[in-house]
Amino acid sequence: MRATASSAFEMKKPEHLLMVADSEHDANMLYAVGMFVPDPFIFLRTRGRDYVVMSDLEIDRARKQAPHCRVLPLSRYQQKLRGEGVKRPGFADVIPALLRERGIRRVVVPQDFPFGLASDLQRRGIGVKARLGSFFPAREFKSAAEVRMLSAALLMAEIGMAEAIQVLGRAKISKGRRLMYHDVPLTSEKLRAVIDTAILQAGGLAAHTIVAGGKQGCDPHEEGYGPLCANEPIILDIFPRSRKTGYFGDITRTVVRGRANEPIRKLYDTVLQGQKLAFQKMRPGMPTAEVHQAVQEYFVKEGYRTGKRKGSMQGFFHGTGHGLGLEIHESPRVGPTSAGILQAGQVVTVEPGLYYPEIGGVRLEDVALVTKGRPRNLTRFEKALEI
């Protein structure tokens, strides 16, 4: 899981990096140690070496699953501190002891480091400085091993998508265009459960899966609710996390069960061409904002403008993509105000969309690996509007 323990990014400056977090929820901690730990623990990187301070519960597992780290027992520090008169030694007591052993008086921490703990350390004479930007810049550039793990997570998303398409294809169209499955109405909630169950069986965890039909699809983050209908666009946006590695997959398809009218067809074809244009721009050295601008200008040229109408945004009003890895949204961002420059090794989503309440919403999303030449599309799932 952990790709670059002591990459050139972290070795440029003789900094002492400190984190206190659990690796179930903190992507930087998971990246650093490569194992899931549900409770907060101490991580220190100093002079090219990684240390973790673990509870007795986790020590043996850490030695097996994080062999690149020197595993130190939390209980040893607590026992020593109690002998020095500290009644209830916590992290604010253990960390200075850990640092004193190594002659360290200043540490660099992530921006989300606990404020209270930072204040306690400063009162104990430890200098604490938050690193601006990414704590591990190397996370932005995926190794071959990480690309494989991303692809595995993406496959889980595609498995969920395949189940959804199969159910929609088997659904019958009843009066009022309502979709029926096993003689009961097919709802967003039921189709979401089908998707999430398939992902769980494939080794992933799905949360907030989007199944949004008709006008609901015009809110890009609307998860969807109620009965699904024929002859209108349904946005399926699936972004599971691998239970084994913690890496995310992300895929979006827009489909119509039945027949799509001409406005829907044109909207879909325009988004599809916009996505192809974005892929063409995914080259090293290309400013991310220019990728987004090219798509936006193409949509305007095709007659699809973006702006507020009747109090709601319409058109293309979100970014073209975002980095993907141990978090669902990582650097780099590909949007109107993003300041990044694409570089080989980055993995980003490519997901333009257009949204008009009188027509519906259309979004298509694949995952691109930026290479020295043409980008590599990691997504294999087909694109077809009608089912």
Side-chain angles (χ1 to χ4, degrees):
M1 181 189 307
R2 183 177 165 278
T4 51
S6 56
S7 73
F9 290 98
E10 283 86 49
M11 294 297 290
K12 285 181 179 179
K13 295 180 180 180
E15 296 177 321
H16 310 293
L17 305 183
L18 175 71
M19 292 188 291
V20 177
D22 70 87
S23 55
E24 289 274 1
H25 302 94
D26 190 283
N28 280 324
M29 189 65 95
L30 181 58
Y31 180 80
V33 301
M35 62 178 286
F36 289 105
V37 181
D39 298 312
F41 60 96
I42 300 167
F43 170 87
L44 175 67
R45 175 171 293 174
T46 178
R47 302 179 182 95
R49 183 134 193 213
D50 293 349
Y51 300 85
V52 290
V53 181
M54 291 286 192
S55 68
D56 291 346
L57 178 66
E58 300 289 3
I59 280 181
D60 290 339
R61 189 165 68 93
R63 286 171 176 157
K64 293 177 183 177
Q65 297 184 16
H68 59 282
C69 296
R70 183 180 177 189
V71 182
L72 305 173
L74 175 64
S75 58
R76 188 189 80 188
Y77 286 96
Q78 291 174 326
Q79 183 178 0
K80 182 179 179 182
L81 288 164
R82 288 190 189 98
E84 296 173 357
V86 181
K87 292 184 179 180
R88 295 180 179 177
F91 287 155
D93 305 295
V94 172
I95 292 171
L98 173 70
L99 299 180
R100 281 196 301 270
E101 288 178 346
R102 287 150 186 83
I104 298 171
R105 300 182 63 182
R106 298 184 61 83
V107 293
V108 176
V109 301
Q111 288 182 303
D112 59 355
F113 191 83
F115 177 78
L117 180 56
S119 299
D120 288 341
L121 293 177
Q122 289 174 328
R123 282 194 292 270
R124 287 163 170 80
I126 303 299
V128 180
K129 178 182 178 182
R131 171 175 282 182
L132 299 178
S134 177
F135 193 62
F136 293 123
R139 272 187 58 197
E140 193 170 321
F141 304 92
K142 272 55 179 184
S143 67
E146 287 180 290
V147 171
R148 288 193 295 271
M149 288 183 278
L150 280 162
S151 297
L154 184 56
L155 179 59
M156 296 172 191
E158 294 183 359
I159 288 171
M161 185 68 72
E163 288 293 318
I165 299 297
Q166 186 177 66
V167 169
L168 286 168
R170 292 177 177 175
K172 299 184 183 301
I173 302 174
S174 67
K175 293 181 180 180
R177 296 187 298 109
R178 282 197 175 187
L179 296 179
M180 304 292 291
Y181 188 67
H182 294 322
D183 298 323
V184 296
L186 179 61
T187 64
S188 292
E189 292 86 348
K190 289 179 180 177
L191 192 56
R192 184 180 303 112
V194 169
I195 295 168
D196 292 355
T197 299
I199 289 169
L200 183 65
Q201 292 173 337
L205 292 172
H208 306 294
T209 299
I210 293 173
V211 181
K215 292 182 179 180
Q216 292 180 22
C218 293
D219 179 349
H221 281 170
E222 170 59 61
E223 293 181 18
Y225 57 89
L228 295 169
C229 295
N231 307 332
E232 66 180 24
I234 301 170
I235 293 180
L236 305 170
D237 191 343
I238 306 170
F239 37 97
R241 189 187 195 198
S242 168
R243 286 182 290 169
K244 181 179 179 181
T245 69
Y247 283 84
F248 281 87
D250 203 355
I251 183 175
T252 304
R253 294 291 182 264
T254 301
V255 296
V256 172
R257 173 66 177 97
R259 300 287 294 177
N261 61 30
E262 190 56 31
I264 294 173
R265 288 177 182 277
K266 185 182 177 187
L267 197 68
Y268 184 91
D269 289 342
T270 303
V271 171
L272 180 60
Q273 293 305 313
Q275 189 192 47
K276 291 179 179 179
L277 175 61
F279 262 95
Q280 292 173 6
K281 299 286 184 178
M282 289 280 171
R283 301 294 181 103
M286 174 66 71
T288 54
E290 289 188 19
V291 176
H292 178 83
Q293 183 179 1
V295 177
Q296 187 72 269
E297 290 176 351
Y298 171 73
F299 286 165
V300 172
K301 178 184 174 183
E302 293 299 308
Y304 295 103
R305 295 186 175 276
T306 297
K308 185 172 285 189
R309 183 181 176 191
K310 296 181 180 180
S312 299
M313 288 298 296
Q314 299 184 15
F316 181 34
F317 49 89
H318 59 71
T320 297
H322 55 81
L324 188 68
L326 289 171
E327 292 176 288
I328 187 62
H329 293 133
E330 293 190 346
S331 182
R333 299 297 183 114
V334 183
T337 61
S338 58
I341 303 293
L342 290 176
Q343 300 180 60
Q346 294 172 328
V347 173
V348 295
T349 66
V350 185
E351 50 177 311
L354 286 170
Y355 312 90
Y356 299 95
E358 66 274 17
I359 303 174
V362 172
R363 183 167 66 256
L364 297 170
E365 178 183 23
D366 290 347
V367 177
L369 169 63
V370 181
T371 71
K372 294 180 179 179
R374 297 176 60 182
R376 176 181 159 199
N377 193 338
L378 301 180
T379 310
R380 295 287 180 261
F381 202 86
E382 66 179 355
K383 299 183 183 77
L385 175 58
E386 290 182 339
I387 301 174

